[in-house]
Amino acid sequence: MANSNSSRRISMDDLFVDPNDRPGWVTADVRLPRKGETVFCAEGEAELIRVLGKTGEGSRLLELQLPGERTPPFFAASSNVLVAPASASEKRAASRRKRVARKKAAAAEAAYVASVAAAKSARKKRALEKAAPARKAATKAATKPAKASKPATASKTAKTTKPAKASKPATASKTAKTK
């Protein structure tokens, strides 16, 4: 059975923070607050306990607690929470953190490039050492003078023929003996 008492219903306007309530303040999507910082939510001023994961709309989920009261912590989306604008010292600290992070990233990139170059040179060195014997043999063969072939002589190319033996003429004495 539906509740028919309209005085107990919460209006939608009461669930959202009006940016005009705190002029100059920005949503927690623009500047994420730090732990312990005072923020402005639909319930009023609250203290940030911790920053949690992301909501379905892509904003961060914040755990908040009302100051001075013994109320349990509650949760709000960062898109529905206002944060005081960053002071000049906070801006300098943030830019310093960004600068340090960029330097660390550049140093890490340089270390990575150096390690890749070292790995490439080590692979190249191993490949050269592996191919060294074959390269030495090829270099040795290339630097040796080619053997000059001896010119062919006529005696080796042309067959020498011995003159045929002359048959001895039959002598008369042999024929006479046979008679």
Side-chain angles (χ1 to χ4, degrees):
M1 185 165 178
N3 189 356
S4 62
N5 189 351
S6 63
S7 64
R8 293 189 181 182
R9 292 187 186 160
I10 299 173
S11 69
M12 290 298 287
D13 294 336
D14 293 338
L15 296 177
F16 294 101
V17 175
D18 185 16
N20 296 329
D21 290 344
R22 298 285 171 135
W25 286 41
V26 295
T27 63
D29 282 341
V30 175
R31 185 181 75 79
L32 197 61
R34 286 183 271 167
K35 181 179 178 180
E37 192 171 344
T38 301
V39 296
F40 186 76
C41 63
E43 290 290 320
E45 285 193 7
E47 182 181 339
L48 179 70
I49 304 295
R50 63 183 168 162
V51 179
L52 302 166
K54 291 194 173 188
T55 64
E57 64 182 18
S59 63
R60 302 299 296 252
L61 184 64
L62 306 176
E63 185 175 358
L64 306 173
Q65 186 169 18
L66 297 175
E69 297 179 26
R70 293 191 161 206
T71 57
F74 60 96
F75 301 94
S78 61
S79 60
N80 198 28
V81 173
L82 296 177
V83 182
S87 66
S89 62
E90 287 177 342
K91 288 179 182 177
R92 281 193 304 272
S95 67
R96 189 173 28 254
R97 281 192 301 272
K98 286 179 184 177
R99 198 170 41 251
V100 168
R102 281 194 303 266
K103 284 182 181 179
K104 285 182 181 179
E109 178 71 19
Y112 172 74
V113 168
S115 68
V116 168
K120 282 182 180 180
S121 66
R123 281 193 303 259
K124 190 174 184 180
K125 185 178 179 182
R126 283 194 302 269
L128 289 174
E129 288 172 355
K130 194 174 184 180
R135 193 172 64 244
K136 281 183 182 178
T139 306
K140 196 173 188 181
T143 57
K144 270 188 181 179
K147 291 183 180 180
S149 60
K150 294 181 182 177
T153 58
S155 63
K156 285 191 173 181
T157 57
K159 290 188 178 180
T160 55
T161 55
K162 293 183 180 178
K165 290 185 180 180
S167 57
K168 293 183 183 178
T171 57
S173 62
K174 284 187 179 180
T175 53
K177 288 184 181 180
T178 54
K179 289 188 179 176

